[in-house]
């Protein structure tokens, strides 16, 4: 007997998944066991890129998760509700769930995994982070014996696509965002991409897997790319950096709190993540004894996510076929405790700052004095340009505690010669 799927959603990810599952030649033979039994959508009248028998499409998603014939529910509709309730219902009904919904997992992971564990079923989420890149299973299985130190990722395809085109073509932010939406990379509401919230959801999931604890999403600092200007991209380039939206989870010692954050970052051109361009994502995992491992691939789009969703489905088909009563501990979620997250003031990092100042003698000296008063040591300070009659001064610091750097900035803001501080970015 075939394994029956109830797919919730037939948008970019759902359509890609159905296309892959309908075209089985040359792929894994277990795909033959899968039947697309029901597909839930909002509208039955919308033109679709895939052909499905009329009885398969339905607008009653509740009926799909309650249908005793459905073995696996594939949630690719997105959003928080009704996705959360439908996932919980499916799990309570004893169905395995595959989801691409990082927003729901990052917010409701605790109740979703608790419900799954109680029901003895699995929740699979490979497509939720990194699109087509296998990173969830490797963190859960292949790398699980390592002590993880850092997970650093470019995990949002839309913002990487925008930053790459701003850098290579000098393109305008709004035009490139419209292209990312047309290509199916951006979320329905692109605010989540542009403001770093999508990347925050993803790093919360990766940190949870890497460091073996739950992450409270509210503790994850996130800053998006709206404030990244062409001017900063050009300065970064001159200083030997590219600007990337990085999602970082780091643990300095086994007993220290985690640092989990998303922000635009100056990345040295020689760093492996500096050359990840366009919609591509990459996740660099550092641990002991493995050292560095980097996962790279397409981070969004129909084909990429279909690969990840279908591989999760295949894992579940294999589990259903092997018919073991005991859940595989490498597939379930085994942690219940929350990780402690350090406040941003405790972060130790380098900074890039751009100042607009009056063109007066001694301004650079005054800046240096304020930084020195707070123990901020400067790696470089350059004055290369003017904006109208104001001088533009760019500073890169050595490693400094963020709290101390902010105190120095507060003092600098009070200097009579300072007009404004248009940019403040962290440096990897
Ligand atoms: P999408 O193109 O907007 O498709 C959403 C689908 O779900 C549509 O078919 C829609 O029905 C259906 N749907 C939504 N709300 C519904 C409701 N209340 N009742 C019934 N049907 C509903 O979204 P997507 O880009 O495929 O993304 C789906 C999920 O995958 C999201 O969680 C997203 O974050 C995640 N994801 C996306 C990508 C990507 O590259 N796009 C990559 C990784 C993960 P209609 O077709 O009738 O409107
Ligand atoms: N909107 C997301 C991105 C889709 O641009 O990365 C993949 O999760």
């Amino acid at each position: 007997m075939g394994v029956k799927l109830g797919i919730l959603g037939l948008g970019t990810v759902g359509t890609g998944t159905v296309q892959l599952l309908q075209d089985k030649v040359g792929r894994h033979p277990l795909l033959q066991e899968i039947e697309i039994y029901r597909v839930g959508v909002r509208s039955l009248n919308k033109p679709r890129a895939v052909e499905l028998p009329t009885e398969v499409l339905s607008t009653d998603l509740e009926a799909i998760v309650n249908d005793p014939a459905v073995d696996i529910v594939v949630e690719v509709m997105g959003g928080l509700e009704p996705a959360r309730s439908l996932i919980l219902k499916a799990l309570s009904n004893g169905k395995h769930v595959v989801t691409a919904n990082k927003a729901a997992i990052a917010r409701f992971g605790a109740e979703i995994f608790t419900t799954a564990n109680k029901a003895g079923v699995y929740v699979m989420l490979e497509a939720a982070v990194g699109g087509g890149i296998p990173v969830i299973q490797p963190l859960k299985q292949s790398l699980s014996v390592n002590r993880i130190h850092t997970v650093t990722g470019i995990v949002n395809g839309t913002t990487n696509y925008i930053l790459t085109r701003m850098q290579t073509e000098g393109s305008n932010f709004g035009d490139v965002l419209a292209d990312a939406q047309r290509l199916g990379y951006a979320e329905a509401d692109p605010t989540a991409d542009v403001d770093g919230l999508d990347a925050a959801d993803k790093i919360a999931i990766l940190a949870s897997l890497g460091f073996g604890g739950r992450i409270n999403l509210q503790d994850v600092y996130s800053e998006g790319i709206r404030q990244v200007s062409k001017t900063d991209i050009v300065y970064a380039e001159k200083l030997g950096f590219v600007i990337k939206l990085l999602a970082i989870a780091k643990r300095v010692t086994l007993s220290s709190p985690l640092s989990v954050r998303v922000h635009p970052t100056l990345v040295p051109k020689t760093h492996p993540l500096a050359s990840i361009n366009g919609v591509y994502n990459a996740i660099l995992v550092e641990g002991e004894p493995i050292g560095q491992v980097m996962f790279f691939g397409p981070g969004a789009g129909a084909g990429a996510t279909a690969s990840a969703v279908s591989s999760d489905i295949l894992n579940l088909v294999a589990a259903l076929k092997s018919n073991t009563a005991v859940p595989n501990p490498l597939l379930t979620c085994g942690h219940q405790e929350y990780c402690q997250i350090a406040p941003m003031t405790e972060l130790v990092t380098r900074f890039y700052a751009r100042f607009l100042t009056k063109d007066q003698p001694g301004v650079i000296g005054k800046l240096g004095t304020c930084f020195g008063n707070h123990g901020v040591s400067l790696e470089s300070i350059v004055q290369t340009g003017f904006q109208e009659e104001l001088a533009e001064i760019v500073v890169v610091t050595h490693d400094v505690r963020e709290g101390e750097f902010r105190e120095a900035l507060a003092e600098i803001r009070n200097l009579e010669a300072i007009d404004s501080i248009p940019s403040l970015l962290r440096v990897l």
Side-chain angles (χ1 to χ4, degrees):
M1 267 230 315
V3 173
K4 291 188 167 55
L5 302 185
I7 302 179
L8 311 179
L10 191 59
T12 303
V13 181
T15 302
T17 303
V18 168
Q19 276 167 340
L20 191 153
L21 296 176
Q22 285 181 336
D23 179 15
K24 299 181 165 82
V25 180
R27 309 192 202 276
H28 197 286
L30 259 188
L31 288 174
Q32 304 294 343
E33 310 276 339
I34 296 169
E35 182 189 341
I36 299 171
Y37 177 73
R38 289 284 178 273
V39 178
V41 290
R42 210 186 263 124
S43 153
L44 292 177
N45 303 321
K46 217 173 179 176
R48 303 284 169 185
V50 283
E51 271 184 43
L52 288 164
T54 33
E55 70 276 14
V56 168
L57 276 186
S58 166
T59 53
D60 190 351
L61 278 63
E62 190 85 27
I64 296 177
V65 298
N66 285 325
D67 188 334
V70 170
D71 300 296
I72 300 172
V73 167
V74 181
E75 186 278 302
V76 285
M77 60 191 293
L80 299 181
E81 284 292 0
R84 168 187 159 273
S85 302
L86 290 167
I87 290 172
L88 290 171
K89 193 73 184 161
L91 296 170
S92 302
N93 286 337
K95 300 177 197 311
H96 300 292
V97 167
V98 174
T99 179
N101 194 333
K102 56 265 164 166
I105 292 292
R107 282 160 190 77
F108 312 124
E111 78 179 316
I112 288 174
F113 287 105
T114 303
T115 308
N117 289 347
K118 230 181 256 171
V121 291
Y122 301 120
V123 179
M124 308 289 279
L125 54 137
E126 191 59 73
V129 183
I133 305 172
V135 63
I136 302 288
Q137 284 307 96
L139 276 173
K140 269 169 129 175
Q141 302 194 352
S142 332
L143 295 173
S144 59
V145 295
N146 288 275
R147 272 187 212 113
I148 303 299
H149 301 154
T150 48
V151 179
T152 311
I154 292 173
V155 289
N156 184 267
T158 302
T159 45
N160 203 43
Y161 178 81
I162 293 172
L163 289 174
T164 302
R165 286 194 51 195
M166 282 175 74
Q167 189 189 333
T168 53
E169 301 165 16
S171 307
N172 167 296
F173 176 90
D175 294 346
V176 192
L177 174 61
D179 282 351
Q181 287 176 294
R182 189 178 44 78
L183 290 163
Y185 305 153
E187 299 299 309
D189 175 2
T191 313
D193 297 297
V194 170
D195 290 339
L197 309 173
D198 175 78
D201 292 345
K202 290 168 176 169
I203 197 65
I205 293 171
L206 293 179
S208 174
L209 294 169
F211 298 105
R214 289 179 174 164
I215 303 288
N216 185 347
L217 193 60
Q218 261 113 46
D219 293 337
V220 179
Y221 175 82
S222 85
E223 196 183 306
I225 64 163
R226 283 184 207 272
Q227 83 284 18
V228 176
S229 67
K230 288 186 202 170
T231 311
D232 294 311
I233 289 176
V234 171
Y235 270 119
E237 164 85 36
K238 280 188 194 152
L239 292 164
F241 299 98
V242 288
I243 299 180
K244 296 286 182 194
L245 184 71
L246 291 192
I248 302 172
K250 185 169 182 167
R251 180 167 62 187
V252 177
T253 67
L254 277 180
S255 58
S256 57
L258 300 183
S259 158
V260 188
R261 54 205 161 94
V262 172
H263 46 73
T265 312
L266 270 72
V267 180
K269 284 183 190 165
T270 50
H271 190 278
L273 289 170
S275 53
I276 309 304
N277 289 323
V279 71
Y280 283 95
N281 282 193
I283 299 107
L284 178 70
V285 180
E286 295 170 89
E288 185 269 324
I290 183 81
Q292 292 190 328
V293 186
M294 191 157 99
F295 301 88
F296 164 75
T305 37
S307 164
V309 168
S310 306
S311 78
D312 277 349
I313 296 170
L314 210 64
N315 262 301
L316 292 176
V317 172
L320 286 166
K321 290 277 153 194
S322 61
N323 207 13
T324 48
V326 186
N328 176 348
L330 292 179
L331 290 184
T332 54
C333 172
H335 52 250
Q336 269 98 46
E337 300 300 314
Y338 278 84
C339 294
Q340 211 195 331
I341 313 276
M344 284 300 278
T345 46
E346 293 302 318
L347 175 69
V348 175
T349 183
R350 289 192 287 164
F351 278 94
Y352 158 101
R354 182 159 58 88
F355 300 89
L356 288 178
T357 74
K358 290 183 184 151
D359 188 24
Q360 293 172 350
V363 176
I364 288 186
K366 284 178 191 155
L367 280 178
T369 305
C370 290
F371 278 129
N373 290 344
H374 297 274
V376 182
S377 159
L378 300 184
E379 186 177 290
S380 69
I381 181 159
V382 283
Q383 180 186 344
T384 53
F386 281 90
Q387 281 204 21
E388 293 166 12
E389 75 280 11
L390 294 170
E392 200 163 44
I393 298 173
V394 169
V395 159
V396 177
T397 72
H398 285 295
D399 267 345
V400 54
R401 215 173 54 83
E402 178 149 344
E404 266 138 20
F405 180 75
R406 299 257 172 211
E407 284 166 16
L409 282 187
E411 193 178 323
I412 288 168
R413 276 199 184 91
N414 286 332
L415 291 177
E416 191 272 326
I418 296 293
D419 176 83
S420 57
I421 310 175
S423 314
L424 198 56
L425 296 164
R426 294 169 190 83
V427 180
L428 195 61

